[in-house]
């Protein structure tokens, strides 16, 4: 039976995991977007060998389930870092790496493959005639990027970037597989204490919905502001 008297207690318990979850999500979002942007620019410039490497990267990380990547990173990343540290004579115990670092690395690598497609689509939508006009006015490559290209591609990419943030929030629920506690994991732990799972997961759903609403509103406001400026 549903016990509404437990909702407030579950709320405060799960609330403890919200700041940690958001911090990890923001970190993953930034890392994935930067890496995805770099991959998109490499592919957009059609640099022969690097472009093939980018295509292979996207195929690999879009095709392999995120939970598999998480476990590969969990068992392989510390060993790989330890190996390279040994080769360079650096004294470090990579096996003591916190699990939250592993989840950030694993999900950033996965999401970057999708972010690359978002940025690539925005780049392809850019009118090359504007670039020619900018060069005719004496713009340098950096000035073209900063004043013309970037303001336009970011406006085009904002809706998909906002969606990507929510994908990251959902993907973080997989972090409990390597004992990293997020909103979903905290709901499980809270419910395990009293066996009232419906109440705990109901509260978790509310948190996710509020975060989704805030992200959507913020993205809409940023997009509107940037459209006015461009």
């Amino acid at each position: 039976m549903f016990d509404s008297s437990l909702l407030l207690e579950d709320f405060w318990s799960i609330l403890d995991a919200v700041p940690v979850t958001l911090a990890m999500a923001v970190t993953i979002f930034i890392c994935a977007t930067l890496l995805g942007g770099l991959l998109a620019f490499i592919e957009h410039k059609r640099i022969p060998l690097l472009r093939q490497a980018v295509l292979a990267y996207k195929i690999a990380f879009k095709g392999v389930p995120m939970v598999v990547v998480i476990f590969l990173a969990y068992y392989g990343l510390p060993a790989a870092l330890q190996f390279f540290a040994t080769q360079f004579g650096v004294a470090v115990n990579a096996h003591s790496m916190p699990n939250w670092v592993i989840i950030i690395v694993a999900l950033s690598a996965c999401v970057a493959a999708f972010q690359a497609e978002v940025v690539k689509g925005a780049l392809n939508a850019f009118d090359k005639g504007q670039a020619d006009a900018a060069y005719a006015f004496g713009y340098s490559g950096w000035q073209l990027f900063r004043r013309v290209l970037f303001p336009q591609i970011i406006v085009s990419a904002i809706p998909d970037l906002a969606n990507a943030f929510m994908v990251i929030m959902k993907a973080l629920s997989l972090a409990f597989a390597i004992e990293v506690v997020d909103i979903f994991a905290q709901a499980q732990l809270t419910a395990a204490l009293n066996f009232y799972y419906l109440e705990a997961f109901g509260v978790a759903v509310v948190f996710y919905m509020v975060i989704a609403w805030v992200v959507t509103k913020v993205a809409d406001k940023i997009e509107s502001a940037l459209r006015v400026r461009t």
Side-chain angles (χ1 to χ4, degrees):
M1 295 292 293
F2 186 84
D3 189 350
S4 59
S5 65
L6 293 172
L7 293 178
L8 185 60
E9 180 182 342
D10 289 349
F11 175 87
W12 291 115
S13 176
I14 298 172
L15 181 63
D16 291 338
V18 173
V20 176
T21 304
L22 289 175
M24 289 191 295
V26 170
T27 303
I28 294 168
F29 177 81
I30 293 172
C31 293
T33 303
L34 291 175
L35 178 56
L38 177 61
L39 296 176
F41 272 106
I42 291 173
E43 190 173 4
H44 184 70
K45 293 296 184 181
R46 297 184 178 277
I47 304 172
L49 293 178
L50 291 179
R51 184 169 182 268
Q52 296 304 316
V54 168
L55 291 174
Y57 178 95
K58 291 197 299 184
I59 290 172
F61 282 96
K62 286 195 294 185
V64 178
M66 288 186 182
V67 67
V68 175
V69 176
I70 290 171
F71 278 112
L72 287 175
Y74 180 70
Y75 291 109
L77 186 59
L81 289 178
Q82 188 71 45
F83 173 78
F84 284 111
T86 303
Q87 298 303 308
F88 289 98
V90 179
V92 62
N93 181 16
H95 294 285
S96 63
M97 180 186 302
N99 288 354
W100 61 266
V101 174
I102 294 175
I103 202 70
I104 287 174
V105 172
L107 292 184
S108 295
C110 290
V111 177
F114 296 94
Q115 296 293 70
E117 299 291 3
V118 172
V119 178
K120 177 184 174 183
L123 285 171
N124 290 338
F126 178 71
D127 184 4
K128 294 182 179 179
Q130 296 185 50
D132 296 334
Y135 285 130
F137 279 106
Y139 277 39
S140 65
W142 169 245
Q143 288 175 321
L144 169 65
F145 174 79
R146 183 169 60 88
R147 297 183 181 181
V148 182
L149 179 61
F150 182 75
Q152 294 190 43
I153 65 172
I154 193 65
V155 170
S156 300
I158 281 176
D160 289 326
L161 292 177
N163 289 338
F165 186 84
M166 293 314 304
V167 168
I168 292 169
M169 288 293 300
K170 295 176 184 179
L172 278 171
S173 63
L174 300 172
F176 199 37
I178 58 172
E179 300 176 355
V180 176
V181 177
D182 73 319
I183 294 173
F184 170 73
Q186 187 60 50
Q188 285 188 299
L189 294 173
T190 299
L193 296 176
N194 53 26
F195 299 101
Y196 283 86
Y197 287 89
L198 182 60
E199 292 79 358
F201 288 127
V203 172
V205 166
V206 172
F207 278 116
Y208 282 120
M209 290 179 65
V210 170
I211 292 170
W213 181 82
V214 172
V215 169
T216 301
K217 288 296 183 181
V218 170
D220 288 344
K221 287 187 176 296
I222 294 174
E223 184 180 4
S224 298
L226 290 177
R227 286 192 183 278
V228 171
R229 294 182 59 183
T230 55

